[in-house]
Amino acid sequence: MSMNRREFMQVLAVAAAAGMPLAARDALAQAPGAAARMYELPRFGNVHLLHFTDCHAQLLPIYFREPSVNLGVGEALGKPPHLVGEHLLRHFGIAAGTIDAHAFTFLDFESAARTYGKVGGFAHLATLVKQLKASRPGALLLDGGDTWQGSGTSLWTNAQDMVDACKLLGVDVMTPHWEMTYGMKRVQEIVDKDFKGKIDFVAQNVVTADFGDQVFPAYTMREMNGVKVALIGQAFPYTPIANPRHMVADWSFGIKDDTMQKWVDEARGKGAQVVVVLSHNGMDVDLKMASRVRGIDAILGGHTHDGVPAPSVVKNAGGQTLVTNAGSNGKFLGVLDFDVKGGKITDFRYKLLPVFANLLPADAEMAAFVRKVRAPYEAKLNEKLAVTEGLLFRRGNFNGSFDQVICDALMKVKGAEIAFSPGFRWGTSLLPGQDILMEHVLDQTAITYPATTVNEMSGEMIKTILEDVADNLFNPDPYLQQGGDMVRVGGLSYSIDPAAAMGKRISDMRLGGQPIEPNRNYKVAGWASVQEGVTGEPIWDVVAKYLRDQKVLKAPKLNQPVIKGMKGNPGLA
């Protein structure tokens, strides 16, 4: 597509009229030089690492809204990644109204998304990876996990579409999390057959539950431009808690600082001049680990989906460690360059590049692969369920509008008074006026344990559940945070004080304006139970049924809690 100056200025005028001040020179792919300014990253040093994480099986470009609530408590208050909106822009020196402001924040999301277009997509990511590898001899592509789960096609192909896509993309090293929900046998099959000789699957903290033997290699050593580089894997430590234990019954997980130190020391003893951890801990956990384990040069992190423009530098007994997090949904590619001289790192450069589909041409080979793998499922994926009148998104500590749709569907279809939906971070966004397709519902719900349930729960039990999840999210010790955001609720209203003590964060629970009674039972619908043997209608069928009846979906009213004690917190917009 080409655009003359007059047409280009008309588009800018429309965007400005929508209330968004745009940096005109980078507004669209058609702006002369826009792609070059964003993606021509000069080579630096002699060790080059490319990093993506938490793509959640999104092969096509998507819209994705960053959070407006990402609260930090305790020592995390006011520090990355717990900065949103204007607070994030100020901290990292990003100008408002620019393409970077759109990439890293939720500000002016709707108008900016319509202006700049979709993000991610493996064909566009492949173009960027090839471009950067061509300019950086020996560069390695690292996959931080949560790659095989999150779409209809990944579920229906038993992850094979993503396994093949990653091989084609040129992934060199990977560590896991949601991959484990396909079960031990399937994971081992992929590692032993598909990845053998191609992709190193590393996880120092996954051992056998009986004798504590290493299930996967703890690390891999590579030589790049004469420099020995060790890459240590750190799988999500709370997999058996956040996901069904029976799926990984023979394996044990955990943070395992002690064994991490052991492997770092071993790699150094074998001549590693650079030691990098490919982590799925979540950024707060990575920051604490960096303060406790010496000898790690950088932690390239995932799990919490934080798009952080610059590394945090953490001091420790061995010197310092860079800690990064590279967002989610294929939206970003991190580029870390080290300059190593005399066996030591003398300097580094880091850039987290947003992947804008309008600015990067699609790689032909990857685009052909994506078309082929999706072809058998296109009719089902493209079923139109309804049209949305409001913005639909998931990301945020407490609730998102797509989460609200799921809760509303559970209550309506299952005849429940209250609905619980897990605090999953993955899930794409939809702009007002878009068709809601079956594919979009699957983007929010495609897991291997999708059964919906309806149970009688006492008011006391409901409070216990909310308190437990709140502690997982807001415990001041990152090592006691077990993943996910706050459980999403339908019907029920409540107040929360994230900084309060365990068991005292939740108050004023109400249903229809009336206080929840501790000893009374309530009909509660939910899904994604981690218990073995749970059966029920898959959540995607429940949501699809609800949307077909709606036809035109009004903007859902968010059932957000009243947040106490967080005034002035830069993680709250």
Side-chain angles (χ1 to χ4, degrees):
M1 176 181 176
S2 62
M3 183 178 289
N4 63 36
R5 178 173 173 77
R6 179 171 177 272
E7 292 168 329
F8 178 63
M9 294 307 292
Q10 286 175 337
V11 171
L12 288 180
V14 170
M20 182 179 179
L22 298 174
R25 65 180 190 147
D26 288 334
L28 295 172
Q30 293 79 15
R37 279 189 293 274
M38 180 162 283
Y39 298 119
E40 285 186 6
L41 197 63
R43 176 187 172 187
F44 177 83
N46 49 2
V47 171
H48 314 292
L49 303 173
L50 313 180
H51 173 230
F52 76 99
T53 189
D54 298 271
C55 75
H56 284 286
Q58 295 302 318
L59 289 173
L60 294 179
I62 50 95
Y63 293 115
F64 185 78
R65 178 191 183 273
E66 297 298 327
S68 51
V69 185
N70 188 359
L71 294 170
V73 296
E75 293 184 3
L77 174 64
K79 298 176 183 177
H82 301 288
L83 304 167
V84 300
E86 294 174 354
H87 303 291
L88 184 147
L89 298 184
R90 282 196 297 271
H91 183 88
F92 291 106
I94 299 172
T98 61
I99 195 168
D100 282 332
H102 171 51
F104 291 105
T105 74
F106 70 94
L107 298 170
D108 297 307
F109 177 76
E110 183 186 334
S111 57
R114 294 190 190 281
T115 300
Y116 297 122
K118 294 182 177 182
V119 294
F122 261 51
H124 305 277
L125 179 61
T127 295
L128 183 57
V129 168
K130 286 182 178 179
Q131 176 182 319
L132 290 166
K133 280 194 169 184
S135 67
R136 287 164 165 75
L140 297 174
L141 178 60
L142 312 181
D143 174 358
D146 279 6
T147 304
W148 306 348
Q149 176 277 332
S151 72
T153 56
S154 64
L155 181 68
W156 297 331
T157 64
N158 207 19
Q160 195 65 46
D161 66 331
M162 296 310 302
V163 169
D164 292 341
C166 287
K167 287 163 61 179
L168 186 58
L169 187 65
V171 169
D172 295 288
V173 186
M174 180 184 183
T175 202
H177 171 207
W178 271 90
E179 286 70 20
M180 297 299 179
T181 62
Y182 288 96
M184 295 177 295
K185 182 178 178 182
R186 178 59 175 149
V187 172
Q188 202 71 66
E189 178 184 47
I190 291 168
V191 172
D192 292 343
K193 296 180 181 179
D194 294 272
F195 281 7
K196 188 175 182 180
K198 299 180 179 69
I199 298 175
D200 288 322
F201 194 89
V202 290
Q204 74 89 18
N205 59 329
V206 182
V207 299
T208 58
D210 48 11
F211 299 112
D213 297 326
Q214 207 67 41
V215 176
F216 309 103
Y219 67 96
T220 181
M221 290 274 278
R222 301 292 185 97
E223 187 165 315
M224 189 187 309
N225 303 314
V227 179
K228 283 189 175 181
V229 180
L231 298 152
I232 304 175
Q234 176 79 358
F236 180 56
Y238 292 112
T239 294
I241 297 172
N243 306 107
R245 176 79 183 107
H246 65 88
M247 293 179 172
V248 286
D250 296 341
W251 298 344
S252 174
F253 294 70
I255 295 173
K256 300 185 184 294
D257 280 349
D258 53 346
T259 56
M260 177 63 78
Q261 188 67 69
K262 181 187 81 168
W263 297 118
V264 171
D265 293 345
E266 179 177 300
R268 291 287 185 188
K270 290 182 177 179
Q273 296 164 278
V274 177
V275 175
V276 171
V277 172
L278 179 60
S279 168
H280 206 92
N281 276 334
M283 190 163 177
D284 287 340
V285 178
D286 285 336
L287 289 166
K288 182 172 179 177
M289 175 175 278
S291 73
R292 291 163 61 96
V293 180
R294 67 187 182 279
I296 300 171
D297 294 306
I299 300 178
L300 301 181
H303 178 62
T304 38
H305 292 199
D306 301 306
V308 182
S312 295
V313 181
V314 179
K315 303 291 185 182
N316 53 49
Q320 68 179 33
T321 301
L322 307 177
V323 178
T324 75
N325 202 286
S328 67
N329 287 276
K331 184 178 177 179
F332 296 102
L333 182 68
V335 184
L336 177 60
D337 294 322
F338 283 119
D339 191 23
V340 181
K341 294 177 181 175
K344 295 185 180 297
I345 295 172
T346 60
D347 203 357
F348 76 92
R349 298 286 186 274
Y350 181 78
K351 184 75 172 178
L352 187 58
L353 294 171
V355 180
F356 280 99
N358 283 348
L359 289 173
L360 290 162
D363 176 76
E365 185 180 15
M366 185 64 80
F369 165 79
V370 172
R371 285 194 298 271
K372 179 181 177 181
V373 79
R374 287 174 55 87
Y377 311 104
E378 287 286 4
K380 189 171 182 179
L381 292 170
N382 289 320
E383 181 193 355
K384 178 182 172 181
L385 302 173
V387 177
T388 180
E389 288 190 347
L391 174 67
L392 297 181
F393 65 94
R394 167 170 275 170
R395 189 74 170 89
N397 280 161
F398 296 108
N399 209 349
S401 49
F402 223 130
D403 292 302
Q404 193 64 56
V405 172
I406 294 171
C407 288
D408 291 347
L410 281 167
M411 290 188 294
K412 178 72 171 179
V413 175
K414 296 299 181 181
E417 300 169 275
I418 295 170
F420 283 162
S421 186
F424 295 145
R425 294 187 182 94
W426 43 272
T428 59
S429 304
L430 285 177
L431 303 183
Q434 274 193 269
D435 291 339
I436 307 173
L437 307 179
M438 190 65 193
E439 178 161 25
H440 300 135
V441 171
L442 289 160
D443 287 349
Q444 316 291 325
T445 60
I447 62 174
T448 56
Y449 49 105
T452 54
T453 58
V454 179
N455 294 294
E456 294 286 326
M457 288 188 189
S458 70
E460 183 179 15
M461 176 59 71
I462 291 169
K463 185 176 190 298
T464 298
I465 290 171
L466 293 177
E467 289 283 7
D468 284 350
V469 179
D471 194 61
N472 285 344
L473 181 58
F474 296 118
N475 192 299
D477 184 349
Y479 278 21
L480 298 178
Q481 297 169 5
Q482 297 175 356
D485 280 313
M486 193 64 189
V487 62
R488 283 54 168 119
V489 299
L492 176 75
S493 65
Y494 67 97
S495 297
I496 183 169
D497 183 350
M502 181 179 179
K504 297 182 178 179
R505 293 185 176 94
I506 306 299
S507 62
D508 197 27
M509 298 190 308
R510 293 177 178 270
L511 180 63
Q514 298 300 310
I516 292 287
E517 300 174 29
N519 297 321
R520 181 189 155 190
N521 283 341
Y522 298 86
K523 192 174 182 181
V524 181
W527 67 287
S529 171
V530 297
Q531 302 301 313
E532 188 171 6
V534 176
T535 59
E537 188 178 10
I539 182 62
W540 50 77
D541 285 344
V542 172
V543 177
K545 188 181 300 182
Y546 172 77
L547 290 172
R548 289 187 192 105
D549 289 343
Q550 296 288 310
K551 295 185 175 58
V552 176
L553 181 71
K554 302 287 185 183
K557 183 180 179 182
L558 279 185
N559 189 10
Q560 293 274 38
V562 174
I563 303 170
K564 297 181 175 180
M566 293 290 111
K567 185 177 181 180
N569 190 305
L572 181 63

